[in-house]
Amino acid sequence: MHLLLVGDGPERGRLADLSRSLGVGDRVHLAGHRDDVGNWLAAMDVYVNGGISDGMSQSIVEAMAFELPLVVSHVGDSAVLAGGLERCGLIVPPSDAHAMTEAVEQLTTKGIQAVAGLTQYKQRIILASAVFAVSLSTRLGVFIFACQEPQRVLTDDSGSYNRPALNLLRHRTFSQLPPDERFGEPEGPVFYQAGGHDRLIATKGPYRYESRRTPFYPGYLAAVYGLFGFEPRAAVFIQCWLGALTCVLVFLIAVFLGGKRAGVWAGVLLAFDLGSLVYTNLIMTETWFALLITAGVLFLLAGVQQRRHAYVVFAGLLLGLAALCRPAALYLIPLVAGWAFVAMPGGWRRNTLCGATILVASGACLFPWFYRNYHHFGVWKLTSIQGLNLFYYKAAYVEAGGLVGKRELNAARQRMERKFLPTVQNRQLNYMEMEREYQRYAMARIGQQPVRYATLHALGTLQMGVSHNVSVLYQLCGGEYHPTGLMSTILTFGRDDKTPSALSAAQLRQVAIALAETVVTFFIYAFAAVGTWMRVRRRGQWPATSLLLLVTAYLFVLAGPQGLARLRIPAMPALCVLAGIGIDRVYRRGRKLSDTEKHTATVSPVSCKDSETHSSTMPSHYR
C-alpha cells in the first residue's frame, strides 16, 4: 500500500520526517502542489479527505468524476457528496484516525463493492426482519380472535378442501365422498366437532375421484392434519407465517426495483392490507396462491437481472405450483412466457430460452396432474371447476340481466339448469366430460349477449377493486355482521324502488371499518399508479414494471361479474411493490427540492471553492 499526498503546506516537512522515522519513506509520496490534478487522481485507487470543517469540497467532486472510492469525514456536505455506502464511499466521524484507518483498510483489501454488498446485506436482513415482525404481528392479532372457535376459520368452500385432504390422509386417495345423484358431495363448511369429521371420509368404495380441486392446498392440509390431527386452526397458524413471508418477498422485490425505502413501504402496505390479513386466517387458498405468485415473480426478475438460468427454472416451477394451488393461474404461465419473449431485456436467443424454460418448468410441474385426470376421466384437463364457474358465476349473471343479489342469481341458475340438464340427462358422462358440457353451454349463453357480458364483467372487476372484507373480519372476530345494503343499492343504479333505511350503531361501525379499508386500498392504487408512471418514464425500467402490471391485470380480469373482494388479494403484492416505489420516488423528489432550496440559500460560491480546511495531521491543501 502506498500513500500519495497531493498538495503543499507547512506540515510537509514534518510528514516527510515522520515517514522516514517509521521506515515507510518509500511508501509515502509527497507530490507537493500540482496543477495537473487529473493525472494524479487517475493514479489513485482510493481517495481520502479527512477535513474537520468543510463546505462543499471541490476536491471530492473531482475524485467522484474519476469514479474513485471515497473515505471522507462527516463534515459539511462531504457526506452528501459521498452519498454513503450505497453510492461511492465510506463516511467516518471527523478527527477519528482509527475509524479512517479501518475504512481505508476495508476499501483496499475488499474493495468498495464487497464492503458495500456486505453492509447492504446486513441492512436488508434487519429491514426484512422488521417487515416480517410487523406482518406476523398483524396476522397473529387476528388469529387470537379467530382461534377461539374452530368454526370461525371455515367458509363455505373450506369443506371442498378438507374432504380430499382427510381422504388423502386416511386412504391415500384424492377423492370426495361416494357419488350421489348430483355433485357427489354435501355443500357447506366442515365444522369442527368431536368425531364429526369422520362422516366426511369415504370409508368404502366406490370413491369419487376429485376433479374440481387441484392437489396443492388439500395436500398441505393433509400434511398439517397428519401432524396435529384434524385441527384447521393449526393450518391457519402456519398460514400466518406464510403471509408474513409474502410481505418479505414483496419487500425484496421492491428493494430490487426501487431501493430499501421502497421495500419497507411495500412490505408494510401489504402487512396492513385488510383483505390479505383476514384471508390468511381462513381455510382458503389465498395465502399460498399469493405466496407462490410473488415468489415466482421475484425469482424471474432476479434470474433476468443476474442472468441465472436456475432462477428462471425456479420461477417456472413456482408458477406451476400456483396453478396446482388455484387453477386460475394456468393461463398466467403462457402470458409470463410471452412477456419473456417480447418485453424482457436481452437478445432474442436469450429471451426465447427464458420463455421456453418457464413453459417447460411449469409444464413439468403440471403434467402429472394432467395425466392423472386423463387416466381417470379420459380428458387432458387440469380441473373441472372452470366450466362450473362459467356456468354458475358468469353465464348466470347474463341470464339474470345484471349484478343482482343472491336470490335473483339463484333463480337464474335454476332456469339455466332446467334448460341444460335435460340435454345431458341420458348421456353417460364423467365429471370432466360433464364440465366440458357446462362450459360449452355457458359460452354459448355468453355469446348470445357479448356486450352485456362485457359490461357485467367490467362492473364486476370494478366492484372487486372497491369492495371490502368487513364481513369476513367480523366472522373471524366472532362478531355479528349486519348487512347495510349500501353496495347493492349502488349496484342497482336506482332500478330498485327500495329506500335504504337508517343505519344502526353497529352498522355505522361496520361502515367506518369499510371506509378505512377503502382508504388504504385507494392509497395503494394511487401510489401504484405514481410508481408505474415514474418507472415507465425512465429508460430501461419498463420490462420489470410490465411484468408486475401483467400479473396485476390478469388477476383483476379473472374476477368477472362475481366481483368478490377476496379475488383481488393475489394481485395486492404486485400493487404494493409499485406503491412502495411510488412513495419512495415522491419522497425523493420532495427531498431533492428541499435540499436544492437549502443549498441555494446557504452555500455561496466562495465556500464551495475555498473552504478546504483539513486536520493538522494531514496536508492542508489537495490541489
Side-chain angles (χ1 to χ4, degrees):
M1 181 186 299
H2 291 257
L3 175 63
L4 173 62
L5 300 177
V6 180
D8 208 347
E11 296 292 330
R12 179 177 180 179
R14 192 177 70 86
L15 290 175
D17 295 338
L18 179 63
S19 63
R20 286 192 295 268
S21 65
L22 294 175
V24 293
D26 58 334
R27 292 177 176 268
V28 176
H29 310 279
L30 304 177
H33 177 78
R34 295 289 180 177
D35 293 325
D36 54 341
V37 178
N39 295 332
W40 293 94
L41 288 173
M44 297 181 184
D45 295 313
V46 176
Y47 174 83
V48 180
N49 188 323
I52 58 175
S53 64
D54 212 338
M56 181 177 289
S57 174
Q58 185 174 343
S59 62
I60 295 180
V61 176
E62 293 171 343
M64 292 171 62
F66 281 82
E67 300 182 355
L68 287 175
L70 306 178
V71 176
V72 298
S73 54
H74 197 284
V75 295
D77 291 320
S78 298
V80 177
L81 290 174
L85 194 56
E86 288 187 27
R87 296 188 183 177
C88 57
L90 298 174
I91 302 170
V92 298
S95 302
D96 191 337
H98 179 70
M100 182 164 290
T101 302
E102 287 188 344
V104 172
E105 184 178 0
Q106 287 183 11
L107 292 184
T108 53
T109 57
K110 299 180 181 179
I112 183 66
Q113 296 300 326
V115 176
L118 180 60
T119 305
Q120 289 188 22
Y121 180 73
K122 293 179 180 178
Q123 292 175 350
R124 290 180 184 181
I125 289 179
I126 294 173
L127 292 176
S129 301
V131 170
F132 183 83
V134 172
S135 306
L136 183 62
S137 63
T138 56
R139 282 148 178 78
L140 291 180
V142 176
F143 177 76
I144 291 174
F145 295 95
C147 69
Q148 296 179 10
E149 296 180 10
Q151 292 91 337
R152 294 182 184 180
V153 302
L154 301 170
T155 68
D156 291 343
D157 289 336
S158 298
S160 61
Y161 296 111
N162 277 330
R163 284 187 287 272
L166 292 171
N167 279 337
L168 184 64
L169 184 62
R170 292 286 186 87
H171 303 292
R172 302 297 186 268
T173 177
F174 194 78
S175 62
Q176 294 282 0
L177 291 174
D180 60 11
E181 68 273 8
R182 192 174 179 193
F183 293 114
E185 58 178 310
E187 298 295 334
V190 182
F191 293 109
Y192 180 90
Q193 51 189 346
H197 62 275
D198 289 336
R199 65 184 175 84
L200 302 171
I201 303 174
T203 57
K204 61 181 180 179
Y207 295 111
R208 194 210 100 181
Y209 289 106
E210 173 61 16
S211 62
R212 286 198 297 166
R213 297 304 182 191
T214 42
F216 185 90
Y217 193 67
Y220 158 72
L221 294 177
V224 175
Y225 297 159
L227 293 174
F228 304 102
F230 182 68
E231 182 51 83
R233 291 173 293 187
V236 167
F237 179 76
I238 296 173
Q239 288 177 188
C240 290
W241 292 78
L242 296 175
L245 178 59
T246 304
C247 295
V248 173
L249 296 180
V250 167
F251 163 81
L252 294 176
I253 295 175
V255 168
F256 185 73
L257 299 179
K260 293 193 292 290
R261 189 185 296 111
V264 172
W265 272 109
V268 170
L269 287 175
L270 187 61
F272 287 96
D273 175 59
L274 185 61
S276 303
L277 194 154
V278 297
Y279 274 94
T280 299
N281 286 275
L282 292 173
I283 299 296
M284 297 288 287
T285 61
E286 272 71 17
T287 302
W288 268 111
F289 187 61
L291 174 64
L292 293 170
I293 291 291
T294 306
V297 171
L298 175 61
F299 272 99
L300 182 56
L301 291 176
V304 171
Q305 177 68 24
Q306 301 178 16
R307 297 178 179 268
R308 293 197 174 185
H309 198 66
Y311 286 178
V312 180
V313 174
F314 284 129
L317 291 175
L318 289 167
L319 292 176
L321 290 176
L324 288 178
C325 179
R326 183 184 289 180
L330 180 62
Y331 300 108
L332 178 63
I333 296 172
L335 289 178
V336 173
W339 170 85
F341 282 120
V342 177
M344 194 182 78
W348 68 269
R349 292 183 178 178
R350 180 172 169 235
N351 293 4
T352 301
L353 178 61
C354 183
T357 300
I358 294 172
L359 293 176
V360 171
S362 58
C365 189
L366 294 170
F367 177 78
W369 195 250
F370 272 95
Y371 180 77
R372 177 260 188 190
N373 289 337
Y374 174 76
H375 177 74
H376 289 303
F377 304 106
V379 179
W380 288 94
K381 290 184 71 71
L382 182 65
T383 175
S384 64
I385 203 170
Q386 182 179 8
L388 298 176
N389 282 340
L390 282 172
F391 189 93
Y392 287 102
Y393 295 104
K394 292 181 171 58
Y397 281 101
V398 177
E399 179 73 20
L403 299 181
V404 296
K406 288 185 178 180
R407 181 178 300 178
E408 295 84 353
L409 183 62
N410 288 331
R413 289 168 175 170
Q414 292 173 3
R415 292 196 302 269
M416 292 175 60
E417 287 177 349
R418 287 194 294 268
K419 299 175 184 178
F420 167 72
L421 291 179
T423 64
V424 296
Q425 188 172 6
N426 297 324
R427 301 168 61 183
Q428 298 296 324
L429 301 176
N430 59 40
Y431 290 97
M432 284 288 187
E433 293 168 340
M434 180 68 78
E435 181 270 344
R436 187 163 52 191
E437 297 301 320
Y438 271 109
Q439 182 173 342
R440 289 175 179 173
Y441 184 90
M443 292 300 295
R445 184 66 185 88
I446 293 172
Q448 293 173 2
Q449 295 177 298
V451 176
R452 170 179 287 186
Y453 176 76
T455 303
L456 294 175
H457 195 110
L459 290 174
T461 302
L462 178 63
Q463 178 183 344
M464 178 201 67
V466 302
S467 295
H468 60 80
N469 296 279
V470 179
S471 61
V472 184
L473 180 63
Y474 268 67
Q475 173 191 333
L476 292 171
C477 296
E480 185 178 356
Y481 181 73
H482 304 278
T484 62
L486 293 178
M487 183 59 70
S488 60
T489 302
I490 295 173
L491 293 176
T492 56
F493 295 101
R495 297 193 303 270
D496 199 335
D497 295 333
K498 296 181 181 179
T499 302
S501 58
L503 301 179
S504 64
Q507 289 176 323
L508 288 175
R509 286 194 295 270
Q510 294 170 188
V511 171
I513 298 174
L515 287 176
E517 180 185 3
T518 302
V519 168
V520 174
T521 302
F522 275 88
F523 180 85
I524 294 174
Y525 292 162
F527 277 98
V530 172
T532 301
W533 171 248
M534 289 189 171
R535 283 188 60 84
V536 168
R537 291 176 59 190
R538 295 194 174 188
R539 185 177 181 181
Q541 295 186 354
W542 167 247
T545 308
S546 64
L547 177 61
L548 296 176
L549 293 177
L550 173 65
V551 172
T552 302
Y554 176 82
L555 295 172
F556 262 73
V557 169
L558 281 180
Q562 192 178 9
L564 296 178
R566 72 178 180 88
L567 298 178
R568 73 167 180 260
I569 293 173
M572 294 308 294
L575 285 172
C576 287
V577 169
L578 293 172
I581 295 173
I583 295 172
D584 177 64
R585 294 291 171 83
V586 170
Y587 173 82
R588 287 185 183 184
R589 178 162 294 188
R591 183 72 177 270
K592 183 178 180 181
L593 292 174
S594 176
D595 290 344
T596 302
E597 294 175 356
K598 177 181 176 181
H599 288 309
T600 302
T602 61
V603 179
S604 66
V606 174
S607 64
C608 291
K609 181 178 180 180
D610 298 327
S611 59
E612 293 183 323
T613 305
H614 301 273
S615 67
S616 59
T617 59
M618 300 188 69
S620 60
H621 197 57
Y622 299 110
R623 294 296 299 274

